[in-house]
Amino acid sequence: MIQAKALRIFALLALLVCGVAGLPADVTAQQSGAVPGDSLGLNSDSDLWRYVRTGNAGSTQMKDELAAVMIQSEGDNWRALRNGPISAIGAFGLFIVIFVLGLFYMVRGRIKIDAGPSGKTILRFGTIDRFAHWLMAGSFVILAITGLNMLYGRNVLLPVIGKDAFAAFTAFGKYAHNFLAFAFMVGLALSFFLWVRHNIPNKVDLQWLKMGGGIVKKGVHPPAKKFNAGQKIIFWAVMIGGLSVSMSGIALMFPFQTTMFADTFAMLNTVGFNLPTSLTPLQEQQYNQIWHGFVSLVLIIMIMAHIYIGSVGMEGALDAMNSGHVDRNWAKEHHSLWVEEEDQKAAKPAE
Ligand code: HEM
C-alpha cells in the first residue's frame, strides 16, 4: 500500500520534472513573444489579425489574386450598402420620376407650339451632331437597362421570366454592358466637343431659370440661345457624370489596377476631409462599384426627364434629333435668341 503510494508520488514528480524540463523552450519563447520555428509570435497576433481582417492579401501560389485575401470584412459593408440604401434610394428615385412625369403630363399635357407649326423649318442639328447624340443615347439606354438588371434583375425580372431566360439575358447583358460602354464614351466625347461652346452659362440662363423655363404656364417663353439653362444642366450632368461613370466602369472592367479613390480621398483631405487613404485593392473595387452604381442611377433618373421632354412631352422637339430640322415657330418659342443669331448669319453676305 505504502509502496504503491510512493510509486504514484514518484511518477508524479518524474512527470513534473520531465514536463518542466520539456516545456521551457516553448514557455519562455511564448512569454518573450516569439514562437519556435521563427513564425509570428503572440506579440504580433493582433497586428497579424488586423492585417487579415482588413482585407489585405497574403501570398499564395494560386493564380487568382483574390485567393490571397483570407477575410475581407469591408465586403460586408459594401454588400449592405449596395443591397440596402443604394438599391432602395435608386428604386425610390426611379419611381418618383415616373410618377412626377406622369402627373406633369396629366396636368400640363403635351407642350404645344403655341403659335402652331409654321410649316417653315430651320436646321438645328447637322448629321454629325445627331450621330453623336444617338451614339451616346442609344448606348446609354442599353447600358441603363443592363445595369439596372444587374442591380434589380434578380428581384424584379427573375420571378417574371424564370431562371433560364434570366440567366441568358443577364449573361448577354453583361457583354453588352462591357462593350457598349466604349460606344458611350465615344458619343460622350464627341458631344462634348460639338456642344460645349453652347453650354457656357450666361446671364440669359438666370432669367430662364427665374421664369421656370416657361414649362409650367402656357404661353410663357423665356428667351434662350441654342441651349437653355435646363439643357445646360443636363449637358453638364451628362458630361461630368458620364466621365465619372466611365472612369469607375473602366476600373471595374480592369480590376485592381487603379487607386482612384485613395487618390481622390487624399486630395479631399487637403481641404479638410478626413477620409481613408490606404485602401486595399478590393476596397478600391468596392468604392468603384458603389460610386458607379450611384452616379448611374442619378443619371438614369435625370435622363428619364430628358427623354420625356424630348419626345412625348413637347411638340416638335424630337425633330431636332430626327431630321435635324425644327419648325421655325417651335424654335422662336424655345430658342428665340438662337433663331435671331441664325437669321443674322444667313443674312450676312458670304465673304
Ligand atoms: C432615348 C431617348 C432620347 C430622346 C428622344 C432624346 C431627345 C433629344 C432631343 C430632341 C434633343 C434636342 C433638344 C433640342 O433641340 O434642344 C436632345 C438633346 C440632348 N440629349 Fe437627348 N434624347 C434621348 C436620350 C438621351 C440620352 C440617353 C442622353 C445622355 C446620356 C442624351 C443627352 C442629350 C444631350 C446632352 C442633349 C443636348 C442638351 C439638351 O438638349 O439637353 N439624350 N435629346
Side-chain angles (χ1 to χ4, degrees):
M1 185 77 173
I2 297 169
Q3 254 182 344
K5 214 174 181 181
L7 213 73
R8 241 182 282 151
I9 292 169
F10 176 76
L12 243 161
L13 275 173
L15 257 173
L16 215 71
V17 170
C18 290
V20 170
L23 279 177
D26 288 359
V27 171
T28 354
Q30 283 181 4
Q31 279 165 359
S32 68
V35 160
D38 278 345
S39 59
L40 288 173
L42 289 176
N43 278 358
S44 320
D45 270 6
S46 53
D47 289 340
L48 173 68
W49 186 231
R50 191 176 306 112
Y51 188 81
V52 170
R53 282 293 292 184
T54 47
N56 289 287
S59 58
T60 174
Q61 305 239 312
M62 287 185 215
K63 292 249 164 66
D64 179 3
E65 294 174 59
L66 295 183
V69 178
M70 274 168 75
I71 301 175
Q72 214 270 329
S73 309
E74 290 82 2
D76 285 338
N77 305 341
W78 165 77
R79 193 185 305 106
L81 199 60
R82 178 192 184 272
N83 297 348
I86 295 284
S87 299
I89 294 170
F92 183 70
L94 290 168
F95 173 78
I96 288 289
V97 75
I98 293 170
F99 178 77
V100 169
L101 290 174
L103 198 71
F104 184 75
Y105 184 74
M106 285 196 303
V107 175
R108 175 70 165 92
R110 191 168 204 220
I111 300 172
K112 297 261 188 207
I113 303 175
D114 283 333
S118 68
K120 282 189 217 143
T121 60
I122 174 169
L123 179 68
R124 184 148 172 79
F125 291 112
T127 313
I128 181 81
D129 293 292
R130 283 176 284 139
F131 170 76
H133 176 264
W134 289 122
L135 184 65
M136 174 172 67
S139 51
F140 182 94
V141 169
I142 298 173
L143 288 167
I145 293 170
T146 51
L148 288 175
N149 181 50
M150 283 183 230
L151 195 56
Y152 300 114
R154 196 191 276 232
N155 298 317
V156 177
L157 200 61
L158 187 140
V160 181
I161 63 171
K163 277 185 187 169
D164 290 344
F166 178 71
F169 176 70
T170 305
F172 165 78
K174 181 77 186 89
Y175 283 112
H177 201 88
N178 282 6
F179 286 109
L180 285 174
F182 294 99
F184 173 72
M185 289 177 222
V186 173
L188 187 78
L190 214 51
S191 309
F192 176 78
F193 290 115
L194 287 168
W195 301 336
V196 66
R197 69 197 169 97
H198 298 295
N199 280 288
I200 312 295
N202 56 36
K203 265 192 230 151
V204 185
D205 297 329
L206 287 178
Q207 196 184 347
W208 190 92
L209 287 171
K210 257 190 232 158
M211 292 171 73
I215 55 166
V216 185
K217 253 191 182 172
K218 279 184 191 167
V220 177
H221 298 295
K225 294 195 172 193
K226 177 139 186 170
F227 291 121
N228 60 42
Q231 289 177 299
K232 287 180 186 177
I233 292 171
I234 295 280
F235 175 85
W236 287 111
V238 167
M239 292 305 144
I240 297 166
L243 178 69
S244 190
V245 162
S246 302
M247 286 168 73
S248 50
I250 290 175
L252 289 171
M253 244 187 258
F254 304 101
F256 314 124
Q257 319 286 319
T258 58
T259 54
M260 277 188 300
F261 273 88
D263 298 344
T264 312
F265 288 172
M267 251 163 60
L268 290 173
N269 287 352
T270 59
V271 290
F273 285 84
N274 188 19
L275 297 161
T277 50
S278 62
L279 302 175
T280 64
L282 255 175
Q283 277 178 295
E284 275 284 342
Q285 284 306 96
Q286 284 152 356
Y287 277 112
N288 272 319
Q289 194 283 329
I290 292 293
W291 183 250
H292 188 79
F294 173 73
V295 178
S296 304
L297 281 166
V298 172
L299 279 181
I300 292 169
I301 290 166
M302 236 176 159
I303 286 298
M304 281 169 82
H306 167 78
I307 293 175
Y308 168 81
I309 207 77
S311 57
V312 286
M314 181 183 277
E315 182 186 8
L318 193 55
D319 294 336
M321 282 301 169
N322 225 344
S323 64
H325 292 267
V326 290
D327 192 274
R328 277 188 71 88
N329 280 352
W330 178 89
K332 275 189 203 160
E333 286 175 12
H334 299 293
H335 301 276
S336 53
L337 302 174
W338 170 72
V339 178
E340 280 170 25
E341 278 170 12
E342 290 299 301
D343 286 349
Q344 275 167 17
K345 262 195 251 167
K348 248 191 196 172
E351 283 159 23

